[in-house]
């Protein structure tokens, strides 16, 4: 039975209609369970909706737990113990906790994590994940530069204008929204030196923030091209087909 | 409709065996729990089918039967917070697997050990969840009766809640295990055990 469950959830090519139905049900449950968050009032109907979707998501959680030893590199008892600490299991549990009454209603926002339950069932996400995986090193380097730049800008500003920036956290907040070109304008430098630093920070900041966008776009283009190449190769006719087709053309001529 | 027929057509005999036995186990759980509630018995009787699914098929089947049963309770009675009580039936499903020896046969000694473990673990889990969710007040009249009796004898709130739960869990587990063993015995041997498609 566990093998059947495993192939139902994970073997995308061989599981046929049942697998697709399973994916659809879990994905739809994840999506539908977010609907109550769109309303300020909690209607009685939402209780039933919540119960249905919660149980579907929990069933998926339990089924993945039951077959985790097939996927894990650990042996049988250890694999089952490790499962609740895997990233997807933690996310799954976190998004279910508010419905179980374990957490205060203020943690309702955790339900938003349910959208991540749809990720394994989205083909597009595979492409996104591949791009980010391939460009991981470059993106991390840019992230380190951006974080370092934010820290230095904030520090310079905090030292230069202690009256404007009450805490270092304020300075970090200012540096982040300036670097990302959001600029709420609730905190801003007032001294000439501060304004000059702000200008420099904005000019260089734009360049740093724009870098990942270019990297990800290039990665996407490459991924799309390779997908198209693969599908072209699969569609390429066999040599015998070409010969037959040529013979047909010759005959017609 | 045609898709459902196609799906059923795709199922192997072994999958059909699992589906039918699990469905029967869910029905038994629901019917017995309803009877116990209506007759105001000092029993819950919501796990005999779960234990039976474990010993007739495998623990994974018991876990799924327990979840389906819990789902019906949530839909018709208590709402989504009932899900936390799934831990009790899940524990029963997993501990029931100890009743079988290496060759997959029931042994009296193992049944007794398993039943004792089910009583201990399910009492602790139920009492903790009940205490946390409703301050120790149960849906079962007899659990509340024994708890109040314990309080009147000077026991603390949590301890009396545990005593109330334990005094109902003991007969409940004994009856549940007995019914599950009976179900196991009346199930033809060729339908017991996991992955038996070659025998069908």
């Amino acid at each position: 039975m566990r093998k059947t469950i495993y192939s139902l959830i994970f073997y995308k090519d061989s599981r046929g209609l049942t697998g697709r139905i399973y994916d659809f049900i879990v994905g739809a449950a994840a999506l539908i369970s977010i609907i109550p968050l769109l309303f300020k009032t909690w209607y009685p109907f939402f209780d039933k909706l919540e119960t249905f979707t919660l149980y579907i998501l929990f069933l998926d959680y339990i089924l993945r737990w039951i077959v985790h030893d097939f996927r894990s590199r650990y042996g049988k008892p250890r694999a089952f113990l490790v499962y609740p600490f895997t990233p997807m299991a933690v996310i799954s549990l976190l998004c279910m906790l508010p419905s179980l009454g374990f957490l205060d209603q203020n943690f309702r926002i955790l339900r938003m994590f349910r959208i991540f339950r749809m990720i394994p069932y989205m083909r597009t996400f595979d492409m996104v994940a591949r791009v980010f995986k391939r460009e991981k090193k470059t993106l991390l380097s840019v992230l380190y530069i951006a974080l370092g730049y934010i820290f230095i800008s904030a520090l310079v500003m905090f030292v230069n204008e202690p009256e404007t920036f009450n805490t270092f956290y304020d300075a970090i907040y200012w540096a982040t929204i300036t670097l990302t070109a959001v600029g709420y304008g609730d905190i801003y430098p007032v001294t000439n030196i501060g304004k000059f630093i702000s200008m420099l920070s904005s000019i260089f900041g734009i360049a740093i923030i724009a870098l990942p966008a270019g990297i990800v776009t290039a990665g996407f283009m490459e991924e799309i091209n390779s997908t198209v190449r693969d599908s072209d190769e699969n569609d390429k006719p066999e040599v015998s087909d070409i010969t037959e087709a040529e013979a047909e053309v010759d005959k017609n001529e | 409709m045609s898709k459902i027929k196609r799906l059923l057509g795709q199922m192997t005999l072994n999958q059909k065996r699992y589906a039918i036995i699990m469905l029967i186990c869910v029905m038994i759980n629901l019917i017995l729990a309803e009877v116990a509630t209506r007759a105001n018995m000092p029993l819950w009787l919501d796990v005999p089918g779960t234990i039976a699914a474990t010993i007739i098929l495998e623990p994974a089947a018991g876990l799924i039967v327990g979840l389906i049963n819990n789902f019906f309770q949530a839909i018709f009675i208590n709402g989504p917070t009932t899900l936390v009580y799934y831990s009790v039936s899940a524990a029963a499903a997993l501990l029931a697997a100890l009743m079988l020896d290496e060759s997959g046969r029931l042994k009296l000694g193992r049944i007794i050990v398993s039943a004792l473990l089910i009583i201990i673990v399910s009492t602790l889990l139920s009492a903790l969840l009940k205490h946390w969710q409703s301050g120790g007040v149960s849906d079962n009249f007899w659990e509340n009766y024994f708890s109040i009796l314990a309080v009147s004898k000077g026991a603390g709130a949590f301890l009396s809640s545990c005593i109330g739960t334990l005094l109902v869990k003991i007969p409940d587990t004994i009856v549940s295990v007995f019914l599950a063993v009976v179900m196991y015995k009346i199930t033809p041997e060729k339908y017991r055990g996991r992955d038996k498609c070659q025998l069908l």
Side-chain angles (χ1 to χ4, degrees), chain A residues 2-218:
Chain A
R2 294 197 314 120
K3 280 177 189 166
T4 311
I5 294 170
Y6 180 70
S7 64
L8 178 78
I9 301 174
F10 296 107
Y11 268 125
K12 298 206 174 188
D13 297 330
S14 59
R15 57 199 180 148
L17 186 63
T18 40
R20 285 202 299 277
I21 291 173
Y22 180 82
D23 280 2
F24 176 77
I25 290 172
V26 176
L31 195 64
I32 292 169
S33 68
I34 295 165
I35 289 175
L37 290 179
L38 306 177
F39 297 86
K40 275 192 172 179
T41 318
W42 185 268
Y43 298 102
F45 164 69
F46 288 161
D47 281 331
K48 293 279 181 222
L49 192 75
E50 177 77 0
T51 309
F52 262 109
T53 54
L54 178 73
Y55 271 81
I56 291 169
L57 296 176
F58 189 71
L59 177 70
D60 181 57
Y61 179 84
I62 287 290
L63 293 182
R64 283 168 187 272
W65 197 346
I66 288 172
V67 299
H68 190 62
D69 56 322
F70 294 141
R71 275 176 81 79
S72 174
R73 57 198 159 102
Y74 301 116
K76 222 174 191 179
R78 202 173 163 194
F80 296 130
L81 295 174
V82 162
Y83 176 77
F85 304 102
T86 55
M88 271 317 272
V90 171
I91 290 174
S92 303
L93 202 61
L94 271 179
C95 70
M96 285 188 281
L97 284 181
S99 309
L100 299 178
F102 275 113
L103 295 172
D104 190 59
Q105 276 303 302
N106 294 327
F107 290 94
R108 236 166 48 127
I109 191 70
L110 286 176
R111 289 180 197 194
M112 274 307 295
F113 280 125
R114 288 179 190 180
I115 205 80
F116 291 115
R117 298 292 300 271
M118 293 180 68
I119 286 172
Y121 310 108
M122 290 170 156
R123 278 187 182 181
T124 326
F125 182 77
D126 284 347
M127 195 185 271
V128 179
R130 279 201 299 274
V131 170
F132 275 87
K133 203 172 176 181
R134 205 170 51 202
E135 306 294 345
K136 192 171 80 179
K137 277 188 179 172
T138 325
L139 288 171
L140 274 177
S141 313
V142 176
L143 180 71
Y144 293 143
I145 294 169
L147 290 177
Y149 192 79
I150 286 173
F151 182 78
I152 291 166
S153 301
L155 191 63
V156 170
M157 203 55 98
F158 184 59
V159 172
N160 186 56
E161 287 197 29
E163 295 84 18
T164 313
F165 300 94
N166 293 325
T167 60
F168 186 65
Y169 182 73
D170 282 346
I172 287 276
Y173 166 73
W174 167 83
T176 310
I177 59 167
T178 306
L179 190 78
T180 52
V182 175
Y184 289 121
D186 52 347
I187 304 174
Y188 49 87
V190 286
T191 63
N192 284 334
I193 299 172
K195 285 176 182 173
F196 181 70
I197 296 166
S198 182
M199 283 190 286
L200 278 182
S201 173
S202 301
I203 291 164
F204 288 107
I206 292 278
I208 291 171
I209 287 298
L211 273 176
I215 295 165
V216 172
T217 310

Side-chain angles (χ1 to χ4, degrees), chain B residues 125-148:
Chain B
L125 283 172
S126 292
L128 278 169
L129 292 170
K130 192 175 66 174
H131 200 73
W132 161 70
Q133 265 198 340
S134 56
V137 180
S138 170
D139 291 340
N140 187 293
F141 167 80
W142 292 99
E143 269 194 31
N144 290 331
Y145 174 76
F146 291 130
S147 294
I148 293 165

Side-chain angles (χ1 to χ4, degrees), chain B residues 81-149:
Chain B
T81 49
T82 311
L83 186 60
V84 292
Y85 285 97
Y86 173 63
S87 56
V88 180
S89 52
L94 294 174
L95 291 168
L98 297 174
M99 291 181 190
L100 302 166
D101 64 8
E102 290 76 20
S103 58
R105 295 189 181 282
L106 285 177
K107 296 281 175 197
L108 185 63
R110 283 176 162 268
I111 293 173
I112 293 168
V113 171
S114 170
L116 280 174
L117 286 172
I118 291 173
I119 290 169
I120 295 166
V121 175
S122 59
T123 298
L124 282 173
L125 283 172
S126 292
L128 278 169
L129 292 170
K130 192 175 66 174
H131 200 73
W132 161 70
Q133 265 198 340
S134 56
V137 180
S138 170
D139 291 340
N140 187 293
F141 167 80
W142 292 99
E143 269 194 31
N144 290 331
Y145 174 76
F146 291 130
S147 294
I148 293 165
L149 211 62

